Amino acid sequence: MTTVTLTVNGQSVTQAIDPRTLLVQLLRENLRLTGTHVGCDTSQCGACVVHVNGVSVKSCTMLAAQCEGASVTTIEGIAQGGQLHPMQEAFREHHGLQCGYCTPGMIMSAIDIVNRKGTALDEETVRHELEGNICRCTGYHNIVKAVIAGAEAMAGGMRQAAE
Amino acid sequence: MAVTSIGARVVRKEDHRFITGKGQYTDDINRPGQAHAVFVRSPHAAATIRRIDTSAARSMPGVVAILTGEDLAADKIGGLICGWMIHSKDGSPMKAGAHPALAHGKVRYVGDHVAVVIAETVLQAKDAAEAVVVDYAVEKPVVDVASALAKGAPAVHAEAPDNRVFSWHLGDKAATDAAFAKARHVTALDIVNNRLIPNAMEPRAAVGDYDSGNDAFTLYTTSQNPHVARLVLSAFIGVAPEHKLRVIAPDVGGGFGSKIFIYAEETVCVWAAKKVGRPVKWTSDRTEAFLSDAHGRDHVTRAEMALDENGRILALRVNTKANLGAYLSTFASSVPTYLYAPLLSGQYDIPAIYAEVDGVYTHTAPVDAYRGAGRPEATFVVERLVEVAAREIGMDPARFRARNYIRKFPHQTPVIMAYDAGDYDASLKKALELADYKGFGRRKREAARRGKLRGIGFSSYIEACGIAPSAAVGSLGAGVGLWESAEVRVNPIGTVEVLTGSHSHGQGHETTFAQLVSDRLGIPIENVSIVHGDTDKVQMGMGTYGSRSGAVGMSAIAKALDKVIAKGKKVAAHVLEAAEGDIEFKDGKFSVAGTDRSAGFGDIALQAYIAHKFNGQELEPGLKEGAFYDPTNFTFPAGVHICELEVDPQTGDVTIEKWTAVDDFGVIINPLIVEGQVHGGIAQGVGQALHEGAVYDPATGQLVTASYMDYRMPRAEDLPSFVVDTTVTPCPSNPLGIKGCGEAGAIAAPAAVVNALTNAVGHEDVPMPATPQAMWRACRKAAQPLAAE
Amino acid sequence: MAFTMTGEVDLPADRQTVWEKLNDPEVLKASIPGCQELEKTSDTSFAAIVGLKIGPVKATFRGKVNLTDLKPPEGYRIEGEGDGGVAGFAKGGATVTLAPSETGTRLSYNVDAQIGGKLAQLGGRLVNGVAKKLADEFFANFARAVTGEGAASA
């Protein structure tokens, strides 16, 4: 067993873990943050995407022990004070989800895309950037719409924050 | 708050929990004291088990138990079943071998379940599973229908020595042969409908729990139909009687058919929970899912179409060999028979049809229903034949289709179906306009200048949904009825719970079903909850597949709502002191005809429960009604999809430039959700056409496409945004006029893509999946395609 | 899934020496990549433990190796099968032929092999490359053993 200390959704946690434990297992099994999902074992599907120090990471391919001292944000941690994140709102508004299983990873990836590519996104960019996230239900049509709209809403939020 | 009507584009009520990570999927459920199961699976496609040595594994850390097929047999746990009896041409019943939940003596495909290791943690169970030593005598496998049917091929099951499970047929052979004899032109095609792996994003999972105090079991499982799971586990497999077995299918992350079936793993988890005295949880990893989820499609077909001198279809003759895998899964036998051949008339008036289908055992994973189930295979046959026939006689494929469309309804086809309503010309006309078919020649020339081969392809599909009257499916061999149930519970303050036997795993029932209630009762949608997926709450149901939840599940709700309103009128008659016949119900109000006296729905609900205003001996207190709805016919959604794409002859890469879909789903409850269903269906159909294919190594039976590295799933960049529209002819066969929309895209799309690809390269030799490699070859084979312009 | 591979390698030693080394468990153990144990169980059979990594699958194979068709000093057929537990299995054989050459001995090999289970499911695409690499490593090691360099590095 080894001990790891990290911040998850703003709260400091220390856990004794088997060194083989993956970040996603720590989140799901130890912390019961079951919003982060496992959809494959080969880092292909993106259902497990979380942010580690503000950058999107597939939590099924990162050891929990590698997260010592890191700040991890999961789908459970992006709504602020009861207010949904604009990207969450956009997915609902545009029917960007059906079964909901890929959705947490999609939303976390989408926020990361906005962080990297800005808030004015075109369809081509979004489709390309979603390469690491598989959805079996939606055909991506409404996910793409949701990401573009969510990015615009994030721009609005940033403007407000700046004022 | 306002009423949400049928037809309103409302966002989904269930989304809040999914976008905040609060969904409750089976793997999110943890029971106190739970142990974890890992299955030891066969690495061989065909072998006799000489010995299973669990001694080393048993002493490993954390191991609770290791159970094998012998333990199952000792507890008299029965095998998995196939619930649809097919009779061969000669009248003999299908030849089915036993399907034990843990192998008994033999393994028959890579991934077959040999033993289960139960340990304190998943990692410990995995470690111990590695230490289970199985001594196999390896045998030669057969993985495709041709080798399985070859003379002297090894038999997968002794019960079917030539590997033929059934040799079935439908239609009038003599009339069909006669039509071919007088045909002016015959179009013939050899078609391979590629094997697919459904790949719902949530892998299957099960948690079995046993309460020794009450001798009662609970199974949490990824099921599309928990009641059917309970019925099979109870009546056939014998785990526990129904009243002692609760099956809960919580949030389920997609199914597409693969979660209809009753599998070995959930059977073992619920049985083992009592055996080890602990809750037992199993969660599939993705490679296990590839190996052990029921696969789809896998047909090899010879198809012929006979035409007269005017380009009218005279007859269709089809011979299909369907790969059923190593065991018959729950509904395996129905898919290539009654869900396939009755659809071979398509949207066309075809006087004679004859289909022969052989169901074939192979040493591969079981094959069963996958989105569309038989209907995509039929549509692919019909729509490829139609397209090629049009090309061969030099007629525009849109015109050829229109020439042969059915225009009078009801229409009896020569293969069982009686189409009730449709307007195929309307869909075609709208699709041609939206796709700018007239401008295609110009776009093709423009593409040629850029060195690209542009193609356009149609698919004028029909499907049969909802499934049919129970008595009718029973006469065709089904082991169950295909009705649906609903119970509407009105609370004293007028809020409503609807208990439904349908199950939502992405379809949005919590929204659409609530919309129906809001519309009918005139109450806000917020005041309605939909309850599903728990056999202790919902009494009985048949679940969700076959695009049936709208047409059948909602019809049951509508029927129960009618009863609620009728009862409400009786209560209102007392409250408003009027004759029951004078009470009207409209916009959420009971009123006395011709007066201004009225009472709101909530007021009447309260009166029904306090029962002060009527004699409880004459009128029962309370407001709760149930209904079972048995469909009167299949429903027949139909439409036209047009795919326009470009092939890069240098690389074989395909880009879908435009997708136009015009579907007739009858009455639509929520267009937002219906469009989403169409989008997803198209993506899966495009996946079949361009990317996806399960590949077994022919010599060894190893599945070599067992991860997302080798099984190519459609990704965002592979697809365009879709142009989706509808036409509406209400379905006359159910009270809501709904036809169903869940499978349409997956049924329509493959033929549209391949028709576009063959149009682009100028010949018909394009396989599915049309990977870049396959298309590069097809381009090489193409005879001067650019010069033709 | 099954695959085949052929190749040849020139060794700077006479045929009899190469033949003897090919039958020497210590040389074989030092030459087989990942070989942890190789025990002679009879004149023509060995019990082996070999650790291998193919793509994402890492496994320890326990198995047996048999020598058949022995034609000293012209060659033999070496066959083996190993069980890697959950990782799957590997089995196969190689016909090895020794012929005198200008520089010593030309060793030709003709391998046919099968893999199954996780190895095939996840590592299938990589197997040909890995097999080639393993063969190259084996013969590089074996060449060192034949020329006596192996002793120095071992």
Side-chain angles (χ1 to χ4, degrees):
Chain A
M1 293 298 251
T2 183
T3 301
V4 61
T5 299
L6 67 165
T7 304
V8 178
N9 297 333
Q11 295 200 317
S12 177
V13 292
T14 300
Q15 292 281 316
I17 52 167
D18 184 324
R20 292 182 283 179
T21 306
L22 300 167
L23 175 57
V24 69
Q25 290 167 333
L26 176 87
L27 295 170
R28 290 183 53 81
E29 308 299 329
N30 296 49
L31 305 179
R32 293 283 188 251
L33 290 170
T34 54
T36 302
H37 298 145
V38 180
C40 73
D41 331 302
T42 51
S43 220
Q44 304 279 313
C45 83
C48 66
V49 170
V50 300
H51 294 175
V52 176
N53 296 328
V55 176
S56 79
V57 160
K58 286 179 173 166
S59 63
C60 76
T61 33
M62 186 172 198
L63 290 167
Q66 286 174 278
C67 296
E68 177 66 37
S71 174
V72 175
T73 306
T74 72
I75 188 71
E76 290 93 343
I78 57 171
Q80 295 294 332
Q83 183 90 32
L84 290 177
H85 188 282
M87 196 58 81
Q88 289 173 307
E89 281 286 11
F91 269 71
R92 174 162 65 183
E93 202 55 39
H94 294 275
H95 189 30
L97 61 147
Q98 290 181 24
C99 83
Y101 198 78
C102 76
T103 309
M106 282 285 178
I107 291 175
M108 298 310 284
S109 287
I111 294 170
D112 186 68
I113 293 170
V114 177
N115 290 344
R116 287 183 293 107
K117 297 277 167 181
T119 54
L121 296 172
D122 60 25
E123 178 173 342
E124 197 184 337
T125 305
V126 172
R127 287 187 182 273
H128 179 71
E129 292 292 327
L130 284 176
E131 182 194 38
N133 291 74
I134 301 177
C135 169
R136 193 55 153 168
C137 295
T138 64
Y140 304 98
H141 181 110
N142 285 339
I143 290 178
V144 173
K145 273 166 79 174
V147 174
I148 292 169
E152 281 170 17
M154 283 171 73
M158 288 172 199
R159 273 196 301 275
Q160 277 183 351
E163 277 160 13
Chain B
M1 275 183 280
V3 164
T4 304
S5 320
I6 288 174
R9 203 178 172 84
V10 267
V11 298
R12 299 201 314 174
K13 280 162 65 88
E14 50 268 76
D15 283 357
H16 188 265
R17 67 176 184 273
F18 296 126
I19 57 178
T20 53
K22 296 291 163 48
Q24 277 282 298
Y25 300 89
T26 301
D27 188 56
D28 299 341
I29 290 164
N30 293 291
R31 303 295 302 156
Q34 150 187 303
H36 296 265
V38 166
F39 286 84
V40 176
R41 293 175 187 276
S42 172
H44 302 288
T48 298
I49 299 172
R50 290 200 198 102
R51 203 167 80 90
I52 302 174
D53 181 358
T54 59
S55 53
R58 272 177 210 281
S59 60
M60 303 225 353
V63 172
V64 174
I66 300 175
L67 303 170
T68 66
E70 286 181 14
D71 299 300
L72 269 176
D75 283 4
K76 299 196 165 43
I77 300 298
L80 308 179
I81 61 152
C82 177
W84 199 302
M85 172 54 73
I86 295 296
H87 286 87
S88 287
K89 287 175 208 167
D90 63 7
S92 63
M94 65 187 186
K95 298 167 190 157
H99 188 183
L102 291 172
H104 210 77
K106 286 225 171 223
V107 286
R108 294 186 171 86
Y109 66 101
V110 173
D112 206 351
H113 323 80
V114 174
V116 63
V117 177
I118 299 167
E120 298 294 338
T121 70
V122 177
L123 289 176
Q124 287 172 332
K126 278 189 180 171
D127 289 344
E130 294 222 19
V132 173
V133 180
V134 186
D135 184 8
Y136 296 102
V138 179
E139 292 151 18
K140 188 181 151 26
V142 284
V143 304
D144 57 63
V145 291
S147 44
L149 293 174
K151 226 179 162 53
V156 179
H157 291 270
E159 289 81 355
D162 61 354
N163 291 319
R164 262 190 190 79
V165 181
F166 52 76
S167 197
W168 174 90
H169 67 162
L170 184 68
D172 187 335
K173 183 172 191 306
T176 304
D177 289 346
F180 270 88
K182 64 171 186 180
R184 168 67 65 87
H185 180 87
V186 172
T187 292
L189 284 176
D190 287 304
I191 291 170
V192 175
N193 202 287
N194 46 325
R195 187 182 183 107
L196 302 176
I197 303 179
N199 273 300
M201 289 317 297
E202 179 206 20
R204 288 189 295 119
V207 185
D209 201 350
Y210 176 67
D211 168 5
S212 61
N214 293 302
D215 188 31
F217 293 84
T218 303
L219 171 66
Y220 302 84
T221 185
T222 47
S223 176
Q224 298 177 217
N225 43 353
H227 293 87
V228 177
R230 183 180 64 163
L231 174 66
V232 171
L233 285 166
S234 177
F236 297 95
I237 300 177
V239 171
E242 277 177 291
H243 67 299
K244 293 288 188 186
L245 175 59
R246 177 182 187 183
V247 178
I248 298 174
D251 286 329
V252 173
F256 315 113
S258 70
K259 291 170 181 169
I260 296 171
F261 322 121
I262 290 72
Y263 287 93
E265 292 89 351
E266 60 252 32
T267 303
V268 167
C269 282
V270 68
W271 160 72
K274 181 176 181 182
K275 193 107 186 137
V276 303
R278 306 257 304 261
V280 174
K281 180 184 204 170
W282 167 77
T283 302
S284 174
D285 66 28
R286 182 54 61 185
T287 290
E288 273 186 294
F290 274 105
L291 293 174
S292 68
D293 288 5
H295 293 183
R297 320 280 193 255
D298 206 345
H299 284 194
V300 176
T301 296
R302 171 76 179 170
E304 300 161 282
M305 180 175 270
L307 307 180
D308 74 5
E309 61 281 6
N310 299 316
R312 285 192 186 279
I313 305 169
L314 296 172
L316 199 64
R317 196 159 53 195
V318 174
N319 183 299
T320 292
K321 312 270 187 262
N323 189 339
L324 301 177
Y327 300 97
L328 295 186
S329 173
T330 316
F331 290 109
S333 54
S334 68
V335 176
T337 52
Y338 288 109
L339 295 178
Y340 170 67
L343 276 300
L344 287 171
S345 195
Q347 299 185 354
Y348 311 106
D349 188 356
I350 306 179
I353 298 176
Y354 181 66
E356 290 174 291
V357 180
D358 284 352
V360 182
Y361 271 135
T362 61
H363 290 109
T364 62
V367 179
D368 206 324
Y370 164 58
R371 200 170 195 171
R375 291 151 289 167
E377 296 92 316
T379 296
F380 193 77
V381 167
V382 174
E383 287 304 295
R384 284 290 294 138
L385 278 174
V386 164
E387 191 86 18
V388 175
R391 288 171 188 169
E392 285 178 353
I393 63 168
M395 192 185 287
D396 178 90
R399 205 168 133 238
F400 180 78
R401 283 178 169 83
R403 173 159 298 187
N404 285 285
Y405 275 159
I406 293 161
R407 291 197 174 79
K408 280 198 191 116
F409 295 91
H411 173 88
Q412 178 63 52
T413 73
V415 277
I416 300 177
M417 296 302 185
Y419 298 169
D420 52 4
D423 184 349
Y424 307 143
D425 292 293
S427 298
L428 179 65
K429 184 166 175 283
K430 200 167 193 177
L432 291 174
E433 281 166 14
L434 288 170
D436 183 23
Y437 185 52
K438 284 190 185 134
F440 173 69
R442 178 176 41 77
R443 296 193 293 277
K444 191 175 176 81
R445 287 189 294 277
E446 186 277 325
R449 283 195 289 277
R450 287 181 284 110
K452 299 289 172 65
L453 306 174
R454 198 164 178 116
I456 195 163
F458 297 81
S459 182
S460 195
Y461 76 96
I462 193 163
E463 51 174 329
C465 294
I467 318 296
S470 297
V473 294
S475 74
L476 303 179
V480 290
L482 290 168
W483 44 264
E484 195 47 85
S485 82
E487 185 179 319
V488 175
R489 294 180 180 172
V490 182
N491 296 315
I493 54 167
T495 60
V496 172
E497 281 129 33
V498 176
L499 284 68
T500 170
S502 299
H503 185 278
S504 188
H505 31 279
Q507 295 87 341
H509 295 171
E510 289 169 53
T511 305
T512 48
F513 289 13
Q515 255 177 285
L516 170 65
V517 176
S518 176
D519 184 281
R520 285 290 167 97
L521 297 184
I523 61 174
I525 195 169
E526 293 78 11
N527 290 3
V528 184
S529 328
I530 306 299
V531 178
H532 64 89
D534 183 342
T535 61
D536 262 16
K537 293 180 180 168
V538 180
Q539 184 240 338
M540 189 57 196
M542 294 312 299
T544 289
Y545 40 83
S547 307
R548 68 191 304 271
S549 299
V552 186
M554 288 180 83
S555 291
I557 297 172
K559 207 171 155 190
L561 288 170
D562 287 343
K563 294 185 188 177
V564 164
I565 292 166
K567 172 82 180 284
K569 282 182 178 173
K570 287 185 202 295
V571 176
H574 290 278
V575 173
L576 299 172
E577 295 172 337
E580 187 189 330
D582 290 337
I583 303 292
E584 292 173 342
F585 182 70
K586 204 172 162 240
D587 300 332
K589 275 194 184 123
F590 292 93
S591 53
V592 183
T595 74
D596 59 358
R597 276 184 295 145
S598 70
F601 178 77
D603 300 328
I604 295 301
L606 184 64
Q607 290 297 335
Y609 283 97
I610 61 175
H612 293 169
K613 298 269 173 87
F614 55 88
N615 181 339
Q617 307 309 313
E618 289 166 10
L619 180 62
E620 280 181 30
L623 196 52
K624 180 187 88 165
E625 298 290 345
F628 285 74
Y629 172 78
D630 199 33
T632 59
N633 190 359
F634 286 93
T635 66
F636 298 97
V640 174
H641 285 222
I642 301 176
C643 171
E644 190 166 331
L645 49 72
E646 284 184 4
V647 184
D648 183 339
Q650 302 302 316
T651 62
D653 196 35
V654 175
T655 309
I656 296 177
E657 298 293 337
K658 187 169 183 184
W659 195 282
T660 308
V662 177
D663 300 289
D664 177 358
F665 298 133
V667 171
I668 287 171
I669 305 293
N670 184 332
L672 185 69
I673 287 176
V674 167
E675 287 162 17
Q677 291 291 313
V678 175
H679 300 155
I682 295 168
Q684 288 183 13
V686 170
Q688 166 161 31
L690 293 181
H691 310 299
E692 299 177 42
V695 178
Y696 281 94
D697 178 55
T700 61
Q702 295 295 328
L703 180 64
V704 294
T705 51
S707 80
Y708 289 146
M709 296 183 293
D710 298 296
Y711 189 92
R712 170 81 158 76
M713 294 278 279
R715 294 178 188 258
E717 215 172 7
D718 300 323
L719 297 160
S721 284
F722 310 108
V723 178
V724 171
D725 208 332
T726 55
T727 56
V728 178
T729 58
C731 176
S733 307
N734 63 61
L736 297 169
I738 295 174
K739 295 184 180 179
C741 65
E743 297 159 293
I747 291 170
V753 175
V754 175
N755 286 336
L757 291 171
T758 51
N759 175 254
V761 299
H763 64 81
E764 305 302 333
D765 192 8
V766 170
M768 290 198 295
T771 60
Q773 188 184 22
M775 287 314 298
W776 185 83
R777 283 205 193 105
C779 291
R780 297 270 90 57
K781 188 180 167 169
Q784 309 265 321
L786 293 173
E789 292 307 314
Chain C
M1 56 184 298
F3 65 98
T4 57
M5 180 174 59
T6 57
E8 43 184 49
V9 58
D10 284 315
L11 297 165
D14 63 71
R15 190 155 75 159
Q16 186 60 34
T17 308
V18 173
W19 172 255
E20 282 164 14
K21 299 282 184 192
L22 267 181
N23 283 278
D24 179 344
E26 281 309 310
V27 171
L28 288 176
K29 185 182 170 187
S31 303
I32 297 170
C35 186
Q36 293 156 12
E37 274 182 52
L38 189 78
E39 252 179 65
K40 206 160 178 165
T41 49
S42 80
D43 276 355
T44 56
S45 60
F46 308 88
I49 299 179
V50 178
L52 279 183
K53 189 169 187 303
I54 300 180
V57 185
K58 199 174 159 189
T60 302
F61 293 89
R62 288 159 206 280
K64 40 187 187 286
V65 177
N66 287 307
L67 304 178
T68 56
D69 301 341
L70 284 98
K71 285 178 218 144
E74 290 164 23
Y76 62 34
R77 180 166 167 80
I78 180 166
E79 282 182 334
E81 59 179 272
D83 186 348
V86 170
F89 66 86
K91 62 181 175 185
T95 305
V96 179
T97 320
L98 303 179
S101 74
E102 284 174 17
T103 54
T105 305
R106 170 160 297 182
L107 183 155
S108 316
Y109 59 92
N110 201 332
V111 177
D112 53 279
Q114 282 185 12
I115 54 165
K118 257 211 165 72
L119 277 175
Q121 289 140 24
L122 294 174
R125 286 170 307 150
L126 312 168
V127 151
N128 279 313
V130 172
K132 180 78 180 68
K133 181 167 155 284
L134 293 175
D136 288 347
E137 272 180 44
F138 174 84
F139 287 110
N141 293 339
F142 186 71
R144 274 200 296 276
V146 167
T147 53
E149 288 168 37
S153 68

